Amino acid sequence: MRKYLLLLCFFSLLNLAYAQDMQRVRSHVNTLCSPAMQGRGYVNQGDKIAAAYIGNAFKQYNLKPFRGDYFQHFNIDINTFPGNVVLKSNKQELKPGIDYIVDPASGPGKGSGLLFLLDTAIFSDVQARTRFLESRLNNKVLVYHSRDRVKLAALPEVVYFKMQEAKALIELQDGKLTASLATEQFNRPGFKVLEESFDLTAKRISYELDANLVKNYTTQNVIGYVEGKVQPDSFIVITAHYDHLGRMGEEVYFPGANDNASGVSMMLELAAWYAVPENKPDYSIMFIAFGAEEVGLVGSRYYTQNPFFPLSQIRFLINLDLLGTGDGGLMTVNATVFSEAFALLEQVNRQGDYIHPLAKRGKAANSDHYFFSEKGVPAFFHYTLGGITAYHNVHDIPETLPLTKYSQVYKLLKDFIAALQR
Ligand SMILES: [Zn+2]
């Protein structure tokens, strides 16, 4: 009995040493999503604060830098909303983040105008279109529905130019708000408002929006590695973007828990594991926290154009983005492109009985793996399926991030990485 207990103790200790640390994961996610990180965007240098945090973690885990430090700098143009964000219908103030978001390419402005609802007859009726083109818009706030955007784009350009005469634009959204970033700026404010939060009978719309297009803002990727003990010139690369959508005014920021504090924490867990001398891998393992993914995969594209060693030395790249759920399984982008590697992934998943279903799709330019696989680097992008649906809005918070299959994904990745080195 005693012997058995001892054995049990030994195995649970072993288990502990091999398990990733959920408390540490939660702590990384909470910190990355905290107000101090400013939504990991470009107001108040949120990107630099987040990058420094990841650099510190790399240092703590004894990752090696390639060039003196862990940072690879590059420049972006970025439209930002550092100050006032106010939208009122009549005298009623709408809630930023909840009722509305700012159009990413919105220009600054302060003022008010009469609500002018776009007449959808302009799509079919030439007379209605002529009436619209002859109307006075420079004292109006023009309101249209997002479902008409495609139809609007199909109309003659004069309609588009006419719309630009309005003092401000409001695009009504069904059901949810999805924020994004822009690298340019219109010359007037634009808002995206939830249809259910908007009173179409209001007479007057007032607004105040502080928008600042920052040119040549310097941001960064964070890069470190563990040297392989057998074939140090061969690399397995684990990537996750740390940037998110930043601030929308003084009161609102986008925490980005699932997108992508979840992936960054997973990357850090793997870094912590391989950095321990007993776990030293045969190949070198490189860890990249990409910047400016939300700007349009800018950090990862920059790296592929300015790599630290020839891209041909990358045996495989694993990109992690949106790993906070898993009730619906795990998706692999590029699975059908690199089908042999996917068969290997399926095999280790079956052996460990980790996560089901293991869903697959072809190539997609939807995260940081893209420019690598376009340049011939074998690469997967993994994201979890099911669970919460908060995405690119203020509701993507750590408190509701379930991390349902987090440990299973961690084990799957570790087994896959081991199998890739065989
Ligand atoms: Zn993302």
Side-chain angles (χ1 to χ4, degrees), residues 20-229:
Q20 47 41 258
D21 178 346
M22 261 346 255
Q23 223 175 333
R24 183 169 59 190
V25 169
R26 282 285 175 190
S27 160
H28 281 317
V29 171
N30 290 341
T31 309
L32 287 165
C33 297
S34 65
M37 296 272 169
Q38 316 282 343
R40 307 189 299 279
Y42 310 97
V43 174
N44 301 334
Q45 308 210 321
D47 68 310
K48 290 189 181 60
I49 300 167
Y53 175 79
I54 295 162
N56 272 333
F58 279 9
K59 194 171 174 195
Q60 216 186 322
Y61 304 153
N62 285 318
L63 297 198
K64 290 189 171 182
F66 279 91
R67 300 176 172 177
D69 67 19
Y70 297 115
F71 305 109
Q72 181 187 41
H73 296 281
F74 57 94
N75 291 342
I76 55 170
D77 293 346
I78 187 76
N79 197 27
T80 61
F81 308 102
N84 286 332
V85 176
V86 180
L87 183 63
K88 288 181 189 167
S89 122
N90 288 338
K91 295 256 157 77
Q92 180 84 30
E93 203 167 312
L94 295 171
K95 276 205 190 77
I98 306 294
D99 296 326
Y100 74 95
I101 53 175
V102 170
D103 185 299
S106 186
K110 180 182 178 174
S112 75
L114 299 170
L115 190 158
F116 184 98
L117 185 64
L118 184 78
D119 181 0
T120 52
I122 68 165
F123 297 122
S124 51
D125 178 357
V126 178
Q127 274 178 347
R129 197 182 302 166
T130 309
R131 255 196 325 274
F132 174 69
L133 291 172
E134 286 170 355
S135 58
R136 184 180 168 208
L137 285 184
N138 62 5
N139 60 345
K140 308 279 187 346
V141 171
L142 179 66
V143 179
Y144 65 96
H145 204 286
S146 63
R147 65 174 157 257
D148 293 327
R149 206 193 300 145
V150 175
K151 283 194 234 164
L152 275 169
L155 290 180
E157 256 188 339
V158 280
V159 175
Y160 172 81
F161 288 122
K162 185 69 195 174
M163 288 175 72
Q164 307 312 312
E165 288 176 18
K167 292 186 84 173
L169 292 180
I170 287 181
E171 185 180 278
L172 297 177
Q173 313 283 314
D174 285 317
K176 64 178 180 182
L177 300 169
T178 306
S180 57
L181 297 172
T183 55
E184 55 190 4
Q185 194 183 76
F186 302 144
N187 53 12
R188 40 116 203 94
F191 301 92
K192 296 180 180 224
V193 184
L194 273 185
E195 193 168 26
E196 67 213 46
S197 305
F198 193 72
D199 177 9
L200 279 170
T201 66
K203 270 194 95 78
R204 185 165 283 279
I205 305 294
S206 352
Y207 53 85
E208 189 176 346
L209 179 59
D210 181 14
N212 183 20
L213 178 65
V214 186
K215 297 251 183 182
N216 278 314
Y217 179 92
T218 300
T219 186
Q220 58 283 309
N221 297 325
V222 192
I223 306 174
Y225 74 106
V226 174
E227 194 164 44
K229 60 177 190 260

Side-chain angles (χ1 to χ4, degrees), residues 155-361:
L155 290 180
E157 256 188 339
V158 280
V159 175
Y160 172 81
F161 288 122
K162 185 69 195 174
M163 288 175 72
Q164 307 312 312
E165 288 176 18
K167 292 186 84 173
L169 292 180
I170 287 181
E171 185 180 278
L172 297 177
Q173 313 283 314
D174 285 317
K176 64 178 180 182
L177 300 169
T178 306
S180 57
L181 297 172
T183 55
E184 55 190 4
Q185 194 183 76
F186 302 144
N187 53 12
R188 40 116 203 94
F191 301 92
K192 296 180 180 224
V193 184
L194 273 185
E195 193 168 26
E196 67 213 46
S197 305
F198 193 72
D199 177 9
L200 279 170
T201 66
K203 270 194 95 78
R204 185 165 283 279
I205 305 294
S206 352
Y207 53 85
E208 189 176 346
L209 179 59
D210 181 14
N212 183 20
L213 178 65
V214 186
K215 297 251 183 182
N216 278 314
Y217 179 92
T218 300
T219 186
Q220 58 283 309
N221 297 325
V222 192
I223 306 174
Y225 74 106
V226 174
E227 194 164 44
K229 60 177 190 260
V230 178
Q231 244 172 278
D233 290 346
S234 294
F235 284 83
I236 289 170
V237 183
I238 318 287
T239 69
H241 78 88
Y242 69 89
D243 68 298
H244 195 53
L245 302 165
R247 298 204 75 89
M248 194 184 79
E250 283 160 6
E251 282 163 39
V252 175
Y253 76 96
F254 297 95
N258 197 20
D259 188 7
N260 186 26
S262 66
V264 171
S265 67
M266 183 70 81
M267 185 194 67
L268 290 177
E269 283 304 283
L270 291 166
W273 165 261
Y274 289 108
V276 174
E278 305 86 83
N279 302 335
K280 223 175 178 203
D282 290 348
Y283 291 178
S284 293
I285 302 190
M286 179 192 205
F287 299 89
I288 313 181
F290 283 120
E293 192 264 2
E294 307 283 13
V295 187
L297 316 180
V298 180
S300 52
R301 189 183 53 206
Y302 185 84
Y303 182 84
T304 60
Q305 292 162 347
N306 303 274
F308 287 176
F309 51 82
L311 292 176
S312 58
Q313 280 175 246
I314 302 178
R315 298 288 166 254
F316 211 86
L317 181 143
I318 299 169
N319 180 47
L320 310 169
D321 193 356
L322 306 164
L323 287 181
T325 67
D327 326 55
L330 183 76
M331 176 59 80
T332 300
V333 173
N334 272 349
T336 57
V337 182
F338 304 103
S339 47
E340 246 174 73
F342 188 70
L344 191 62
L345 185 74
E346 280 181 315
Q347 189 195 326
V348 294
N349 187 52
R350 247 191 327 269
Q351 279 162 1
D353 191 21
Y354 295 130
I355 184 166
H356 309 282
L358 210 54
K360 59 176 172 177
R361 54 188 284 196

